Amino acid sequence: MESVIPTAPEQPADEKDNQIKSPDQRPDAPPDYNSHFVPGPPGPAVPAPAGYAGGLPMGYNSPQQPGTFFSYQPAGGAHPIRYQPGKYHMSNQPVSVTWMPGPPPIPNCPPGLEYLTQLDTIHVLQHFEPLEMITSFETNNGYDIKNNLDQMVYIVNEDTDDFTRNAYRTLRPFILRVTDCMGREIMTMQRPFRCTCCCFCCPSTRQELEVQCPPGVTIGFVAEHWNLCRAVYSIQNEKKENVMRVRGPCSTYGCGSDSVFEVKSLDGVSNIGSIIRKWNGLLSAMGDADQFEIHFPLDMDVKMKAMIFGACFLIDFMYFERSPRRSSR
């Protein structure tokens, strides 16, 4: 008998066409099947690592390519990192602050006070410190100074040590440093310690504030006057000569209403300006975050504007600074 060699059954032609052919081994041959790959959006633009010979991979933008991305330059790195706005949560991103445009230098004007020559109203906004309410630990006060357009004019920060703040509380001596948009200290306000445990009519117990602009150069003083029922201050020049008076309301702790301190001439007839402590609801009643509004004539001498500005802080510490209650044992 002849041996029969088995052979594979012959497949139909249509089944052969449906099979995927093995790719051609030639490198220049294109694939013979349709690709279902859909390219995604371009990735974040990053520079090529050191020593990378092939440049940037496909699908990456060049760092010089303009687009709708902003850069964050790390403190110790050499390359910027780019983020798409609104896509990633950046908790450490600083809040943008709009500053008042800096005016040109003015003759016979202390440097940094040129801003006040263009203003007749400024707003003093104290920072709210929840740590004081929670821990009863007195912290340094901070204030934002803005104009009517909500533009930042100055930043005021208290510079007092922890022991002095918590030992003397509202009677503490302090130094307030006023800085501009460049971070330069353009004004310093100092309050010496005055004991109030003896006779109130004694001159040595009256509160006083010294204003220096630039720091180290005294331009005036704010001196308290004893009065039985209201707050009265004198605004003095560098020679301690009285120039204006500040007259407060009979009750400075008014609940639900503003407290107005009028700035008057020495004879008490002419109204020059005002320092208004604004009532801002719960923060005024419970928190220590006061808001003031200061008014003065636009053409007023800039040094006197600075003195009225300084009087606002002495009034705040004397009448509206609320120290946290200490727990009693």
Side-chain angles (χ1 to χ4, degrees):
M1 281 179 73
E2 293 182 359
S3 61
V4 179
I5 301 174
T7 59
E10 200 175 272
Q11 295 181 349
D14 54 350
E15 292 183 6
K16 291 182 180 180
D17 294 338
N18 291 336
Q19 291 181 348
I20 299 176
K21 298 179 182 180
S22 60
D24 199 334
Q25 300 298 325
R26 292 178 298 170
D28 57 344
D32 53 2
Y33 60 89
N34 294 327
S35 174
H36 297 284
F37 172 74
V38 179
V46 295
Y52 190 83
L56 293 176
M58 293 183 61
Y60 283 79
N61 294 328
S62 171
Q64 289 78 21
Q65 180 179 355
T68 59
F69 300 93
F70 65 94
S71 299
Y72 165 72
Q73 184 68 30
H79 303 293
I81 302 174
R82 296 176 181 263
Y83 299 96
Q84 182 176 354
K87 185 177 177 72
Y88 302 99
H89 175 67
M90 300 178 63
S91 58
N92 295 328
Q93 182 178 357
V95 180
S96 60
V97 177
T98 303
W99 285 85
M100 178 180 175
I106 300 176
N108 301 324
C109 177
L113 295 188
E114 297 90 354
Y115 295 92
L116 297 182
T117 61
Q118 302 180 356
L119 300 175
D120 58 359
T121 301
I122 54 178
H123 302 268
V124 180
L125 311 175
Q126 184 178 0
H127 300 169
F128 176 67
E129 296 292 345
L131 181 64
E132 293 185 0
M133 300 182 62
I134 298 173
T135 65
S136 298
F137 183 84
E138 189 77 28
T139 60
N140 278 320
N141 286 0
Y143 305 83
D144 291 340
I145 313 303
K146 297 185 177 183
N147 58 13
N148 281 334
L149 299 178
D150 202 35
Q151 295 173 332
M152 192 79 76
V153 183
Y154 300 122
I155 293 178
V156 181
N157 288 307
E158 181 185 358
D159 186 6
T160 310
D161 61 273
D162 294 339
F163 173 79
T164 302
R165 285 196 314 271
N166 290 274
Y168 297 99
R169 299 287 172 164
T170 60
L171 295 177
R172 64 184 181 265
F174 60 75
I175 297 178
L176 296 178
R177 305 189 185 277
V178 184
T179 56
D180 61 1
C181 62
M182 302 298 293
R184 300 173 299 178
E185 183 177 350
I186 56 101
M187 186 190 305
T188 301
M189 294 175 279
Q190 298 184 6
R191 175 197 187 187
F193 175 73
R194 296 291 176 86
C195 180
T196 59
C197 59
C198 56
C199 181
F200 291 98
C201 60
C202 180
S204 61
T205 64
R206 300 174 189 171
Q207 300 299 313
E208 185 180 79
L209 180 76
E210 179 184 357
V211 180
Q212 300 176 359
C213 186
V217 180
T218 302
I219 63 173
F221 299 85
V222 181
E224 179 194 16
H225 283 268
W226 183 84
N227 192 279
L228 186 61
C229 63
R230 66 175 70 243
V232 179
Y233 300 89
S234 287
I235 294 180
Q236 305 170 341
N237 57 18
E238 66 276 9
K239 300 178 181 179
K240 288 199 170 185
E241 299 172 344
N242 294 337
V243 180
M244 295 175 290
R245 290 189 180 273
V246 179
R247 185 172 180 267
C250 292
S251 176
T252 57
Y253 299 98
C255 181
S257 61
D258 299 342
S259 299
V260 181
F261 294 78
E262 299 175 344
V263 181
K264 292 180 171 290
S265 58
L266 288 179
D267 55 10
V269 176
S270 303
N271 289 327
I272 299 176
S274 61
I275 301 172
I276 305 174
R277 188 257 189 171
K278 306 295 291 184
W279 174 261
N280 57 350
L282 261 180
L283 288 179
S284 295
M286 300 179 60
D288 189 13
D290 296 314
Q291 298 183 10
F292 290 87
E293 194 173 284
I294 304 175
H295 300 273
F296 36 59
L298 183 61
D299 57 351
M300 190 179 190
D301 179 43
V302 68
K303 291 184 179 180
M304 291 300 102
K305 288 184 177 182
M307 293 307 304
I308 298 176
F309 174 63
C312 174
F313 295 95
L314 183 59
I315 291 172
D316 180 36
F317 272 85
M318 289 187 61
Y319 295 101
F320 304 109
E321 179 73 7
R322 287 178 172 82
S323 294
R325 295 181 179 180
R326 298 180 180 180
S327 58
S328 59
R329 296 182 180 178

